[in-house]
Amino acid sequence: MATPGAHPATKGEATLIAPEILAPVDLTENLELFRAKLSLYLKPEEIARIESAYVFSAAAHRGQLRSSGDPYVSHPLAVAGTIADWRLDPQALIAALLHDVMEDTAITKQEIADRFGKSAAELVDGVSKIDRIENQSYEEAQAENFRKMLLAMARDVRVILIKLADRLHNMRTLGAVPVEKRHRIARETLDIYAPIANRLGLNTLYRELQELSFLHLHPLRYRVLAKAVKGARGNRREVVGKIMETLRRRLPEAGIAAEVMGREKHLYGVYRKMREKHLSFSQVLDIYGFRVIVKDIPTCYLALGALHGSYKPVPGKFKDYIAIPKANGYQSLHTTLIGPYGTPVEVQIRTAEMHHVAESGVASHWLYKDDNALSELQQKTHKWLQSLIELQSASGDSAEFLEHVKVDLFPGEIYVFTPKGKILGLARGATSVDFAYAVHTDIGNRCVACRINFELMPLRTELRNGDRIEIITATHANPNPAWLSYVKSGKARAQIRHFLKTQQHEESAALGERLLAQAVTGQGLRPGDIDAAVWERFVRSCGAKTTKRDVLTDIGLGKRLAAIVARRLASVREAGGGKPAEHKPQGAIIIHGSEGLSVQLAKCCRPIPGDPIVGIIRKGQGLLVHTHDCRSIGKTHHERDNWVDVEWEPETARLFEVGIRIVAENRRGVLAKVAAEIAAGGSDIQNVSMDDDRGIYTMLNFTLQVAHRVHLARVMRGLRHIPEVLRITRTKE
Ligand code: MN
């Protein structure tokens, strides 16, 4: 059975192949090897299709060379070879052969779809998208997010497998690349791709990517360590042989059939242990590693018992990854024993199937077969994958299983770039406004527009993985309540609400101050008579956390009555020795109509400047202004305390809505005449409705905008001159 990365370079010292001795590629020979791999598991007609993809790829890349000087097509061929080692399906193989054509040649996704099917084209497109974000720089601290972004973008696990195979071949041929680029790619492999391989359980690949990265990042340390390991191996041979012999004897004695093998430590692992645990080379290497492979799970535990009976286990070192597998599906029993000469011996015990999973991970279950149903192990993996991926169709046969499985390791999130290359994770469906708030609250509060991938876009645009977002702000911009209808993140929502609430509070506090000033005058005092000392005493009597501002806001919102607060302030002042004031009539609150949320003109009577008005404070809603004759205020007579004297500001700048009803003869063109006359009167029509009455008369209802009563009177006078108009009334309901 094929294992990922089963390449000569992974076996022991073979990794020591120096970059400079890479031989030129023999394309004919490589193609033969590839055909041989395909014929192990594919039908002749499938192989023919794959070969036509090779011919297509070779033609598309014609004339291009790799850094090594080899024809470019040798690269996709090698990548497809790895995909064949993993025994993936024909679509994945075709996509592997074509994985660079969209980025490097003029071939389009549509052309690939036309020739090789939509599925292969989607895979190539997926790989190309990852290539594009790969060229963005990322900060080192952001490797984790970068990995998530890649995984979230890939959707289909085959895209990741092709990308990993691509990276493997690039790493194997990295010696031909200029040294600076070599470092960047090796670092990226170590930070991004090796952990992804690990996450997917592709252990052999994971180790090889780490070894190659280490070789290219620290060639000297690599060579020194390789030499030391080779030397130590000679010295250790005797100890290893002795332990191996004991294990091989002890297990059958306990009635256990097992395969025992020594484990070579890979250089990067040794290097990392030395660095992270501050161990010397010999301390790391003196831990001997063995693997015991048995037929089933019960035997694993029997073997464990037998080993613990032979050698003393090191307390706290036993781990049962069979009962609780690792997140990537890895299963084994781990234990450390005190071996002969007192050296620690690490032993991993597992079944053959577990071993296969441990080496090939996700790929081990995706072998392309078109006949048999999922084996028990595949079923188990199926479950494991379900926890990792979004399964679109639960299918019994593995080819279809592969076809329908979509990887979405982080289905709830998307990852986008800031202009400086920082990566932010956001909820799926997030917009530029969410992004702005994720960067900084001030950016969110001040954002007015955005550029997505250098193009101006509406703020509400939904972001996609890998987008580069730039927020445009304006100093005096404010959050828009409409944003609440589309923002996805809790943070943006909370900040927008907070801002709007604060703004309303500010307006309410301003109104409260005016209402209180009026009420204070009503107590025969001047506002200046209530000084800071009076306020302090008053506020102290209100409760622990109350402030003057809270009191004013409460008055503005109608939660406290200005008159009562004023009376109490007056008595606090007197109690503190202030002179009693003489009673004076209180002045009115001036209404200018643009106070914001704290002062509203009642919808029932729609007062306009010039109308006699009255203000009514309503709990939590601020001041509502009605006309004197509004019918709805009659009902609130018993709550006289809530009534406030209000007056219009003599000159208001804004326009006010007012309703009028016109009864006119039902003749053609009458509406046009009326509308023209309204316009001539300098008023705008906001809305018009007409009774659908086909009689002699018709009723027209207008909502107009006027500056004040005099303006309205002028408009109405103009309308009366129209012969068809019989009656005009202002509507109040
Ligand atoms: Mn490539």
Side-chain angles (χ1 to χ4, degrees):
M1 203 173 278
T3 22
H7 183 271
T10 57
K11 302 251 169 72
E13 288 128 285
T15 38
L16 288 173
I17 289 178
E20 54 271 23
I21 58 168
L22 282 171
V25 164
D26 181 341
L27 261 187
T28 324
E29 192 191 319
N30 286 4
L31 192 56
E32 269 318 306
L33 279 169
F34 180 56
R35 280 200 192 102
K37 282 180 187 174
L38 299 182
S39 64
L40 288 175
Y41 73 108
L42 293 176
K43 297 188 195 110
E45 62 268 27
E46 291 170 328
I47 296 174
R49 244 180 346 120
I50 293 161
E51 287 204 28
S52 77
Y54 172 77
V55 172
F56 183 82
S57 178
H61 289 296
R62 180 162 299 140
Q64 291 176 9
L65 297 178
R66 305 208 81 215
S67 299
S68 59
D70 292 318
Y72 195 88
V73 74
S74 63
H75 166 65
L77 181 61
V79 173
T82 302
I83 295 298
D85 287 338
W86 294 340
R87 302 210 171 178
L88 293 187
D89 59 313
Q91 284 77 31
L93 285 157
I94 291 169
L97 287 166
L98 303 178
H99 80 268
D100 277 331
V101 299
M102 275 176 65
E103 282 298 283
D104 295 348
T105 77
I107 309 290
T108 64
K109 182 179 174 187
Q110 191 56 49
E111 276 178 87
I112 299 172
D114 291 344
R115 276 168 186 269
F116 301 104
K118 200 165 169 278
S119 169
E122 286 296 339
L123 293 175
V124 174
D125 190 45
V127 177
S128 304
K129 276 190 185 132
I130 291 181
D131 288 342
R132 260 166 258 153
I133 67 159
E134 211 172 57
N135 294 326
Q136 302 247 19
S137 63
Y138 68 95
E139 291 168 26
E140 208 176 314
Q142 295 240 294
E144 169 73 19
N145 273 343
F146 200 92
R147 284 198 295 273
K148 286 182 177 173
M149 184 195 248
L150 281 186
L151 293 172
M153 275 182 83
R155 305 290 294 178
D156 188 323
V157 81
R158 288 175 296 177
V159 169
I160 296 179
L161 293 173
I162 294 169
K163 191 61 217 170
L164 288 172
D166 174 52
R167 182 49 63 121
L168 176 65
H169 185 247
N170 286 338
M171 285 303 292
R172 282 176 178 172
T173 53
L174 199 60
V177 168
V179 78
E180 257 161 57
K181 195 176 171 197
R182 215 188 286 170
H183 274 193
R184 183 180 66 77
I185 291 177
R187 169 54 55 196
E188 193 178 79
T189 303
L190 207 52
D191 286 349
I192 308 293
Y193 292 97
I196 289 177
N198 182 35
R199 179 85 169 86
L200 297 177
L202 297 154
N203 239 323
T204 310
L205 175 67
Y206 170 54
R207 282 195 299 263
E208 185 175 351
L209 289 178
Q210 283 188 330
E211 292 297 82
L212 290 168
S213 302
F214 180 38
L215 165 67
H216 288 292
L217 278 174
H218 305 292
L220 204 63
R221 289 177 218 184
Y222 182 93
R223 272 169 236 267
V224 168
L225 211 52
K227 211 171 155 207
V229 167
K230 203 176 160 193
R233 202 174 282 145
N235 307 334
R236 285 161 28 108
R237 199 161 286 147
E238 196 194 327
V239 183
V240 170
K242 195 168 157 66
I243 299 171
M244 188 97 86
E245 194 198 313
T246 320
L247 293 176
R248 282 185 178 150
R249 199 182 56 241
R250 288 291 296 139
L251 289 168
E253 276 170 22
I256 298 160
E259 194 188 332
V260 181
M261 43 192 151
R263 273 191 300 126
E264 283 305 332
K265 292 208 156 49
H266 66 299
L267 296 180
Y268 184 68
V270 173
Y271 173 67
R272 204 164 55 173
K273 254 193 192 153
M274 286 170 68
R275 287 198 67 143
E276 284 170 7
K277 301 195 172 159
H278 303 287
L279 297 174
S280 69
F281 174 71
S282 59
Q283 281 173 310
V284 174
L285 220 69
D286 278 353
I287 303 168
Y288 296 86
F290 292 89
R291 190 168 290 141
V292 175
I293 302 207
V294 296
K295 69 175 197 304
D296 54 20
I297 293 174
T299 316
C300 290
Y301 292 99
L302 287 178
L304 179 77
L307 291 177
H308 282 191
S310 307
Y311 296 112
K312 205 169 133 59
V314 177
K317 288 286 188 179
F318 170 67
K319 292 209 178 72
D320 186 347
Y321 292 119
I322 291 180
I324 304 162
K326 287 190 185 178
N328 65 13
Y330 175 88
Q331 287 186 298
S332 278
L333 299 177
H334 287 192
T335 188
T336 305
L337 310 166
I338 309 286
Y341 318 114
T343 52
V345 177
E346 286 175 358
V347 186
Q348 300 173 345
I349 306 165
R350 54 174 76 148
T351 67
E353 283 187 320
M354 288 172 192
H355 183 56
H356 189 47
V357 174
E359 295 302 305
S360 330
V362 86
S364 66
H365 311 287
W366 288 32
L367 305 185
Y368 177 67
K369 300 181 204 113
D370 52 6
D371 42 4
N372 56 344
L374 290 172
S375 71
E376 193 203 332
L377 185 68
Q378 278 173 314
Q379 302 273 13
K380 252 187 262 160
T381 313
H382 195 109
K383 256 191 233 155
W384 160 51
L385 277 171
Q386 267 178 327
S387 66
L388 293 177
I389 65 185
E390 186 181 273
L391 201 59
Q392 305 233 314
S393 145
S395 150
D397 103 293
S398 62
E400 220 176 304
F401 171 62
L402 182 58
E403 189 62 36
H404 291 287
V405 162
K406 299 279 178 199
V407 163
D408 198 348
L409 295 172
F410 304 93
E413 287 172 77
I414 58 150
Y415 297 87
V416 296
F417 287 101
T418 69
K420 284 182 184 158
K422 196 171 170 224
I423 300 167
L424 289 182
L426 297 168
R428 194 169 284 279
T431 63
S432 300
V433 176
D434 294 290
F435 174 86
Y437 277 102
V439 173
H440 197 278
T441 303
D442 282 346
I443 308 249
N445 284 340
R446 305 262 171 263
C447 71
V448 289
C450 68
R451 281 196 193 89
I452 301 178
N453 304 325
F454 303 98
E455 226 177 290
L456 269 175
M457 298 293 271
L459 279 174
R460 65 180 311 151
T461 312
E462 192 176 319
L463 306 180
R464 288 167 311 175
N465 268 304
D467 279 348
R468 176 196 179 276
I469 320 294
E470 186 187 343
I471 295 293
I472 300 161
T473 58
T475 324
H476 298 295
N478 283 331
N480 183 338
W483 293 351
L484 288 171
S485 68
Y486 57 77
V487 294
K488 277 282 173 310
S489 61
K491 176 171 183 194
R493 192 168 293 278
Q495 293 294 349
I496 295 166
R497 286 228 175 90
H498 175 76
F499 182 92
L500 293 174
K501 207 172 161 194
T502 311
Q503 191 184 34
Q504 193 191 357
H505 273 210
E506 271 166 26
E507 287 169 6
S508 299
L511 172 67
E513 193 158 11
R514 287 160 69 196
L515 288 167
L516 185 65
Q518 178 199 37
V520 163
T521 318
Q523 295 294 317
L525 297 167
R526 280 160 296 145
D529 289 337
I530 311 296
D531 55 21
V534 175
W535 266 112
E536 210 194 301
R537 283 202 299 280
F538 172 74
V539 162
R540 219 184 298 136
S541 71
C542 287
K545 282 186 181 159
T546 315
T547 63
K548 175 180 174 183
R549 197 188 155 77
D550 292 339
V551 174
L552 295 177
T553 306
D554 281 355
I555 295 172
L557 286 169
K559 288 181 185 166
R560 289 174 193 259
L561 287 176
I564 292 172
V565 174
R567 272 202 291 280
R568 284 194 47 206
L569 281 167
S571 64
V572 166
R573 178 175 167 274
E574 266 179 59
K579 233 177 22 186
E582 10 168 329
H583 211 78
K584 266 198 251 161
Q586 58 187 57
I589 292 285
I590 304 298
I591 301 296
H592 46 83
S594 48
E595 283 85 355
L597 295 166
S598 61
V599 176
Q600 286 176 44
L601 303 178
K603 287 273 183 288
C604 44
C605 51
R606 289 202 278 213
I608 57 175
D611 287 337
I613 45 173
V614 60
I616 295 173
I617 281 280
R618 290 234 310 254
K619 211 164 190 159
Q621 295 175 8
L623 188 64
L624 207 56
V625 177
H626 291 268
T627 60
H628 261 186
D629 56 355
C630 179
R631 254 178 267 163
S632 70
I633 59 171
K635 295 171 205 153
T636 64
H637 250 277
H638 56 284
E639 303 170 43
R640 264 321 268 248
D641 262 358
N642 295 350
W643 289 35
V644 176
D645 266 350
V646 287
E647 261 172 30
W648 291 106
E649 188 182 41
E651 294 285 328
T652 47
R654 56 163 284 197
L655 295 171
F656 295 82
E657 285 189 358
V658 65
I660 60 168
R661 176 174 300 146
I662 298 174
V663 179
E665 284 178 53
N666 195 359
R667 279 204 210 139
R668 178 178 304 191
V670 68
L671 180 60
K673 275 190 194 171
V674 169
E677 189 54 47
I678 290 170
S683 172
D684 286 334
I685 300 171
Q686 289 290 295
N687 184 32
V688 60
S689 69
M690 217 167 158
D691 282 4
D692 199 18
D693 182 358
R694 295 284 157 216
I696 309 166
Y697 302 115
T698 185
M699 196 135 68
L700 305 167
N701 292 301
F702 285 92
T703 305
L704 307 180
Q705 282 200 319
V706 295
H708 40 66
R709 249 171 107 92
V710 178
H711 184 193
L712 177 63
R714 198 164 61 225
V715 173
M716 287 167 84
R717 205 158 47 237
L719 290 169
R720 285 202 185 91
H721 289 139
I722 301 171
E724 289 89 345
V725 170
L726 287 129
R727 197 162 61 239
I728 308 172
T729 45
R730 184 169 163 194
T731 43
K732 289 180 187 173
E733 33 204 81

